[in-house]
Amino acid sequence: MAIYSFRVSVIKRSAGRSSVAAAAYRAGEALNDERTGTTHDYSRKGGVLHSEIIAPEHAPDWCRDREELWNAVEARETRVNSQTAREITMALPHELTDSQREQLVREFLEKECVSRGMVADFAIHLPDRDGDQRNHHAHAMLTLREVGSEGFTRKAREWNDRSLLDHWRSSWADHCNAALDRAGRPERVDHRTLEAQGQDREPTQHEGPDVTSMIREGVVLDAANANEEKRRRNAERSQLEERRAELDVLIERPELIKSLGEAKPDKAALKQAMKALKRADQSHGELNAIRHEIAKERRTIYAHDKRSQHLDRLDMAVEGGFASVFKNPEQAKALFKKRCAEGKKSPAQIAREMMRKPAHFGALRGRRIAILWKSAERKEALLSLPILAEKARKGEYLRRKLARQKPKVEQAKQRLRQLAERRTDLEKTPSPERLIAQRQLQQAARGLSNDDWNALSWDEKKTIADARRLMRDEQTRHFADRQIALMRQQSLERDQQRQQSLKEEREREREREIERQNERNRGNPGR
């Protein structure tokens, strides 16, 4: 079922954090932090399905470049304990498709954040391969200063009000429910506390990625144990509530005592529903595996595009360098490329030769008299020569690397198209299997005695408790019942079609047999 989670935090220097590093990690990119001179490279990080920057229409173009945006944010703040960005972490309904989740996050940020003057940089992350395959979530980083046509202006203190956070929490629930309604799903989320919702359940504490990682490694943590105990108590409470509901029915309608007293849980149906639920989770895991592969191929293409852009910048710098060093820059540049293409020497060797013996590539700009006097133009050319050689060397090596990677990139693009088609096919298929299995599980678990309940494993108890809690909603029950009826109708139609096909085949076989018999009677037996 859809789960509500909406957490807001602030990125601040006093905690040793950088908005550039945070943006690089969340988007899975390599960003250079100009304030510290550090490059934060998370380009090999997996699980980033989509990243995007949304800025007001009047914002300058550099606001839509992730590296320039967050370096501008860092440069605007001068205090050592400055707050640089606000981050929102949102759980996304797993019942939606990838495009529906993207639309959900985009609509919320545009309406609630960008319209107020913020720049929003968000990334959608996939569930971890070893974790809960329904844990789709998004990270959104927001600027703390208003952005104008010339850049950042004042720091809007009113954005720190508690009332705005409460409004965001309520609005996110409304947006999630609207998206689920558009998708034709009965699930709903509620931003209120369990007590305000009137639910007799203990709330668990959010564990986060660090705690989850330590649990997988076998580390025993008090917070994790406390959450586990709360889940156990909640499951036991659900069993007590089920028994209490049955007793209430018997009190109100004593004529049902005999029939309900003889009713027993359908253990075979219970096991079958458990297996169907596992199959539905495995199917969701298969779809997430395809999403991870899509993110991987996109990362390969993205890295190639970034290197191509870097090569374009290097080529522009090299062209300007040749123009500032040599009198005939086109001739010198052509000679450098020709010698690199010959392959007799490496680009590094040719670059060193150009730096030590530039006359081999052409005449330098400016004039000199012996070794005693050089014109200002000649001095500038000599100063620019080492920089030109280094950039020309890097550009040539990068060009060769891109040429080697081109087949791999073409293969990644082709595989990306295939994976996207496969994902579309899976998402087009109606996927209420999990909901149907939970409804069947809830129905099969009716009348469980305390002895039957105690005989179940902890995982089975938790699964039954989750199904019961989900099916308390009348709309969800009706949706699941309609899906079950539709599934049975489709199964019946398939059986009827199969029987009709068998009947027609028998009729054709009978006609062929009659024809063969007639042939034999005429003394002309067929083959």
Side-chain angles (χ1 to χ4, degrees), residues 48-265:
V48 181
L49 186 63
H50 178 78
S51 62
E52 182 180 336
I53 294 178
I54 310 174
E57 293 181 359
H58 60 268
D61 292 339
W62 54 261
C63 284
R64 294 164 183 83
D65 182 280
R66 187 164 284 112
E67 187 171 85
E68 291 189 32
L69 169 64
W70 295 111
N71 274 303
V73 167
E74 290 287 342
R76 189 67 174 79
E77 308 299 336
T78 57
R79 297 169 60 92
V80 294
N81 60 347
S82 291
Q83 297 179 348
T84 57
R86 180 178 284 105
E87 181 184 12
I88 303 177
T89 306
M90 302 162 282
L92 304 177
H94 73 274
E95 294 84 357
L96 303 178
T97 64
D98 293 343
S99 59
Q100 289 170 345
R101 280 188 283 265
E102 288 178 20
Q103 181 184 359
L104 167 62
V105 178
R106 190 180 298 112
E107 287 180 353
F108 171 78
L109 292 175
E110 286 177 348
K111 181 179 178 181
E112 299 295 342
C113 303
V114 178
S115 63
R116 301 175 189 271
M118 307 178 194
V119 179
D121 180 5
F122 76 92
I124 295 179
H125 288 189
L126 292 170
D128 189 83
R129 293 181 186 272
D130 301 325
D132 190 340
Q133 294 303 300
R134 296 167 291 167
N135 184 26
H136 298 268
H137 57 282
H139 298 271
M141 291 179 59
L142 308 172
T143 56
L144 300 180
R145 292 182 179 272
E146 292 181 353
V147 63
S149 58
E150 300 298 327
F152 293 112
T153 57
R154 71 181 187 93
K155 184 169 280 190
R157 305 292 179 184
E158 63 271 17
W159 294 346
N160 298 330
D161 290 345
R162 175 73 190 189
S163 59
L164 180 60
L165 174 59
D166 294 337
H167 170 72
W168 278 352
R169 288 178 58 81
S170 174
S171 178
W172 175 246
D174 293 340
H175 277 78
C176 287
N177 291 332
L180 289 167
D181 185 60
R182 287 195 300 268
R185 300 292 303 197
E187 296 88 351
R188 295 295 181 266
V189 298
D190 197 328
H191 68 285
R192 298 174 299 169
T193 62
L194 294 177
E195 182 180 359
Q197 296 176 38
Q199 296 195 27
D200 185 19
R201 264 195 306 138
E202 295 183 60
T204 56
Q205 183 180 358
H206 181 73
E207 294 176 351
D210 296 334
V211 174
T212 304
S213 177
M214 295 174 70
I215 293 173
R216 289 175 190 156
E217 294 174 0
V219 180
V220 179
L221 299 173
D222 293 339
N225 289 338
N227 280 342
E228 195 71 11
E229 285 300 319
K230 289 179 181 178
R231 295 188 185 100
R232 289 180 185 275
R233 289 195 293 268
N234 287 335
E236 298 293 340
R237 188 178 286 109
S238 76
Q239 171 66 5
L240 293 175
E241 290 176 355
E242 188 75 11
R243 297 295 294 170
R244 188 183 299 116
E246 293 174 2
L247 291 175
D248 290 341
V249 172
L250 294 178
I251 293 172
E252 293 176 2
R253 301 186 63 184
E255 68 273 12
L256 298 178
I257 290 178
K258 185 177 180 180
S259 61
L260 288 178
E262 295 174 354
K264 293 183 179 180

Side-chain angles (χ1 to χ4, degrees), residues 249-301:
V249 172
L250 294 178
I251 293 172
E252 293 176 2
R253 301 186 63 184
E255 68 273 12
L256 298 178
I257 290 178
K258 185 177 180 180
S259 61
L260 288 178
E262 295 174 354
K264 293 183 179 180
D266 190 344
K267 295 184 179 180
L270 195 67
K271 291 182 179 180
Q272 186 177 0
M274 287 282 190
K275 291 180 180 178
L277 197 58
K278 289 182 179 179
R279 285 197 301 269
D281 289 339
Q282 290 173 355
S283 175
H284 201 75
E286 178 187 358
L287 183 56
N288 282 337
I290 292 176
R291 291 181 176 122
H292 276 283
E293 291 297 320
I294 289 175
K296 179 181 176 182
E297 302 301 342
R298 283 180 178 174
R299 195 164 62 248
T300 301
I301 298 171

